Structures are given as structure tokens and as C-alpha cells.
Amino acid sequence: MKFEPIAIPNNEAQFLETRKFQVDEICRIFRVPPHLVGNLEHATFSNIEHQSIDFAVHTIRPWLVRIEQAMNRALFTDQEKGRFYVQFNMDGLMRGDYKSRMEGYAIGRQNGWLSANDIRALENQNPIPKEEGGDAYLVNGNMIPITTAMNQPTDDANQTVTQSNPERRRYT
């Protein structure tokens, strides 16, 4: 039986550190997050998500804007330029985590600028039929359709009379 040392000699350990530095330096030059090239040394779940979004915004998006502008300039005639355009959709890269998306959708839904079908389209789900309220925009508070809120009668004192009980007044 012959003894074989398990430790790495100092010169080889220094070589490995140099290689790690080279990977980080190349990532810096090309503005690519280290986790995208398999360097997970300083990676955590939360910072990987933000690094990916940062990569999409600061590395990919400037190039896509240049490509869009070049294609819009070269592909369309002067008559077509007002009607047609090229635009890359980066929504998939910017999605973030599930919880953040759902919180954003809830805010949009409660404040009346997203309908259930708008949200379902963003999540690649089938729409809810219009008859079932899929295209209804709601307002915060009672979560009633905007059209119902707009059609409520008001008196001269800028008081809104509720439709269910005209004697009961809600001040706005």
C-alpha cells in the first residue's frame, strides 16, 4: 500500500483561485451574472432573481432596443412606419417570483386597472367568459364594477347615495 496525499499543492490551489478570478472577470467584461455561467460561489436564491432581472434590464435590453430601432428603420416604408413596428417582449425575463407577481396583480385588480382576463393573459391562462365578469374592471373597497360606481346617483352635497338603501348616505 502506498500513501497518496489528498491535499492540493499550493501552486495548484493558486491556479484554481486564478481560474475563479478569470471567470468573474469575464462575467464583468460581458456584463453577465456569474450564476448564468455556473459560478454559484456567492449565489443565494434572492440575489439570483435580482441578478437575472438586472441582467435583462442592463445587458439584454440595450441591445434589443438597438435591434428594434435598426429593424424599424430598415424593414418598413415611410407609410408603414406609423402603423407597424418591431418590439421585443421581455416580460418573461422580468417576471420575478410568484409572490411578487401575485401581489402586483392584486394591486392592479383592486385599483381598477387590471381585469381578471388581463391577469390571466399575463399568466398564459384561458380567459374567463365576458358574461361571467372576466373583462370587468373593479374598484377598491366594495370590489364593484367601475360602471356601477360611476352610475350611482349623487345629491348636491357631493354625497353618494347607496343603491341598496337610499336613506343611508356614504360621504365621498
Side-chain angles (χ1 to χ4, degrees), residues 38-97:
N39 182 1
L40 301 174
E41 189 172 344
H42 301 290
T44 64
F45 177 75
S46 61
N47 74 359
I48 283 181
E49 177 186 349
H50 292 288
Q51 285 180 22
S52 295
I53 292 172
D54 187 61
F55 175 66
V57 170
H58 297 292
T59 303
I60 296 175
R61 185 70 190 141
W63 284 104
L64 292 181
V65 168
R66 291 179 188 112
I67 294 168
E68 288 170 353
Q69 290 173 347
M71 292 175 80
N72 285 328
R73 185 176 53 251
L75 295 178
F76 302 115
T77 65
D78 289 335
Q79 294 81 17
E80 293 174 329
K81 286 183 182 176
R83 295 178 30 212
F84 303 109
Y85 60 92
V86 174
Q87 181 178 16
F88 289 100
N89 185 353
M90 291 193 41
D91 291 345
L93 296 174
M94 303 296 293
R95 287 183 80 152
D97 66 331

Side-chain angles (χ1 to χ4, degrees), residues 99-115:
K99 182 180 179 208
S100 299
R101 285 197 328 268
M102 293 305 117
E103 288 171 354
Y105 295 153
I107 291 168
R109 180 81 167 138
Q110 291 170 1
N111 291 318
W113 53 272
L114 283 176
S115 71

